[in-house]
Amino acid sequence: MKLRGLPRLLSDHSPLLVKEDGRDWEPKPFRVQNAWLLHNAFKACCESGWKEANIVGWAGFILLLMLRTLKVGLKKWNEEVIGIILSNLAA
């Protein structure tokens, strides 16, 4: 990130210009890709990820951890299955 002071024109304050320098700001939001929904193995991946999560607690906590578990499984599935498809298309 770059910060630069600009000249004072109308006020006794110096305006500041903040410029983003292309850093990788983690974490990135999780997004479901439309191509996943068309893949035959997507539903099975979701079902297995949902069933494997054995979490105890109040309902909101269970839902939160189950969704996190599902997200991890879908990211892994995306790398293993969809990533291979995209690399084959690029070749």
Side-chain angles (χ1 to χ4, degrees):
M1 184 174 298
K2 296 178 183 178
L3 179 66
R4 193 173 84 172
L6 299 176
R8 295 182 209 162
L9 298 175
L10 300 173
S11 171
D12 60 341
H13 296 278
S14 295
L16 298 175
L17 177 65
V18 179
K19 201 170 187 183
E20 215 288 301
D21 60 1
R23 290 184 199 184
D24 187 18
W25 299 95
E26 293 288 334
K28 293 179 180 160
F30 177 74
R31 291 191 172 95
V32 173
Q33 304 297 319
N34 288 336
W36 295 359
L37 304 174
L38 302 174
H39 197 280
N40 295 335
F42 177 73
K43 184 176 178 183
C45 177
C46 291
E47 288 175 351
S48 68
W50 197 260
K51 290 176 184 175
E52 288 175 8
N54 294 324
I55 302 162
V56 178
W58 57 281
F61 178 74
I62 292 171
L63 180 61
L64 174 71
L65 290 185
M66 288 183 80
L67 289 173
R68 283 185 184 167
T69 304
L70 184 61
K71 177 177 87 168
V72 169
L74 285 174
K75 283 185 172 186
K76 183 179 175 187
W77 177 80
N78 181 50
E79 291 172 4
E80 294 173 355
V81 177
I82 302 297
I84 293 170
I85 293 171
L86 293 178
S87 66
N88 289 343
L89 288 175

